[in-house]
Amino acid sequence: MFEIALTVQSCLRANTRADVAWVAGYDGPDISGRYSAIAITPGGGKMGSILSNTLDEKIAEHARRQLNNGVLLQLEISSVDALINGVTEGGRANCICVPASQLPIEIWPLLIEREPLCITAKISDNSVTDFAFYTRATIASAPQSAQELFAKGNTASAIANEMVVSAWFPITRLVIAGLGPIAEALNTAAQLLDWNISMANSPDVSTGMIMGLSPVDATVIIHHSVEDAGRALASALDSRAGYIGAVGSSKMQNARADWLAYRGYTDLSRIHGPAGLSIGAKTPAEIAVSILAEAMSDLRLKNHQVTPAH
């Protein structure tokens, strides 16, 4: 839902219809995109995808009907659709499809800021109505089923007792600026966490990626050149990134600090350098694990997902 929020908000501001759909229940083989969302406009525009594109056309077909209320669609992924999209076999999904104008308008700025949210709605004869939303600050006032789902801290949906509950949590983005064995080890290890990973060796590319990071995201600077690393670190300090790690020796860290200070960046307290927990890591794989452990701890503490130890 986070990926389509800006598009949907733009449509609403322009008084352009957009239908939004997401998976509320799924029975079938493991398929990527089961927690994603899709937005369809009357002109055929599409943003996002769900279940590896296997249901996008069926949802678009429903959206073309331009109904006024939300519905619960019970859709089947045929063996042909599965084969076309590289999926081993078909399955069944319950999808919520609703005009964006029927959802609480307050959710879109929050999703753009990548704030965790919980949505509830009533289901009656496949009609979905009475949408309500809750944040971390208000989840205590939500129905018990919504509180329990939100407390798990993962994106998920459930349908029970004529109610659908959907909790959305942003996936951490990791920008790895620079290449080499440690960068490759970071990429491999972060995939186990299901993070959204981007790698870039060019500082022109990496700085642009870093600038778009939010407080739930991380970047690790591995550029060997002081100039390239300095530019990436400056972008990280200008961004809202929740974790900034800098790989390199103490001598390299000092050289980067001098480069930054000369350009007016004197508060480097957000930078973890050398990056990683002090666990005696030596190999690229061990260093990657120490960095990701430090990043996870830092991000969760900053985003109130864990209680700090005393």
Side-chain angles (χ1 to χ4, degrees), residues 1-293:
M1 190 66 77
F2 300 93
E3 289 73 18
I4 68 171
L6 184 59
T7 297
V8 174
Q9 180 174 262
S10 298
C11 288
L12 292 172
R13 287 179 173 175
N15 292 320
T16 299
R17 182 185 175 102
D19 287 85
V20 176
W22 67 93
V23 178
Y26 172 70
D27 180 21
D30 187 27
I31 300 180
S32 63
R34 61 188 298 178
Y35 300 124
S36 299
I38 188 172
I40 306 289
T41 61
K46 184 186 85 165
M47 178 65 181
S49 178
I50 57 176
L51 293 173
S52 294
N53 301 297
T54 54
L55 295 178
D56 291 6
E57 181 51 41
K58 291 180 179 180
I59 291 172
E61 181 180 350
H62 171 80
R64 285 193 284 271
R65 299 172 62 190
Q66 297 191 24
L67 300 181
N68 293 325
N69 296 310
V71 298
L72 175 65
L73 300 176
Q74 298 171 326
L75 303 175
E76 183 170 349
I77 302 172
S78 69
S79 57
V80 174
D81 288 334
L83 180 63
I84 290 173
N85 292 282
V87 179
T88 56
E89 59 183 286
R92 293 180 176 83
N94 290 324
C95 296
I96 304 297
C97 189
V98 57
S101 59
Q102 299 301 304
L103 292 167
I105 195 169
E106 298 91 344
I107 71 172
W108 304 112
L110 294 171
L111 289 169
I112 290 171
E113 290 297 314
R114 305 186 72 208
E115 293 285 340
L117 287 180
C118 188
I119 287 277
T120 64
K122 295 179 181 178
I123 297 178
S124 177
D125 296 327
N126 291 335
S127 178
V128 186
T129 59
D130 297 331
F131 289 91
F133 80 99
Y134 305 89
T135 65
R136 279 202 180 103
T138 61
I139 191 64
S141 63
Q144 186 64 32
S145 59
Q147 293 184 45
E148 292 174 356
L149 189 67
F150 193 78
K152 295 180 179 179
N154 299 310
T155 296
S157 293
I159 297 176
N161 301 321
E162 299 184 331
M163 174 182 289
V164 58
V165 179
S166 294
W168 295 314
F169 286 81
I171 297 174
T172 295
R173 297 173 184 162
L174 171 64
V175 174
I176 303 171
L179 301 180
I182 295 176
E184 293 297 332
L186 271 172
N187 181 34
T188 300
Q191 289 180 35
L192 298 175
L193 303 175
D194 288 329
W195 285 7
N196 187 338
I197 309 160
S198 299
M199 300 180 69
N201 190 39
S202 165
D204 292 331
V205 175
S206 63
T207 53
M209 291 178 175
I210 292 168
M211 284 298 295
L213 297 180
S214 76
V216 300
D217 301 322
T219 182
V220 180
I221 313 302
I222 308 180
H223 288 307
H224 301 294
S225 161
V226 172
E227 174 79 20
D228 292 349
R231 290 175 57 191
L233 287 168
S235 292
L237 291 170
D238 287 337
S239 77
R240 300 187 301 136
Y243 174 83
I244 304 171
V247 174
S249 65
S250 297
K251 182 179 179 180
M252 175 64 79
Q253 303 294 337
N254 291 333
R256 293 168 176 170
D258 290 341
W259 188 97
L260 290 166
Y262 185 75
R263 289 157 179 81
Y265 294 90
T266 55
D267 183 2
L268 309 184
S269 59
R270 291 171 60 203
I271 298 176
H272 296 265
L277 298 177
S278 180
I279 58 173
K282 295 186 181 299
T283 67
E286 291 172 345
I287 294 170
V289 169
S290 73
I291 292 172
L292 290 178

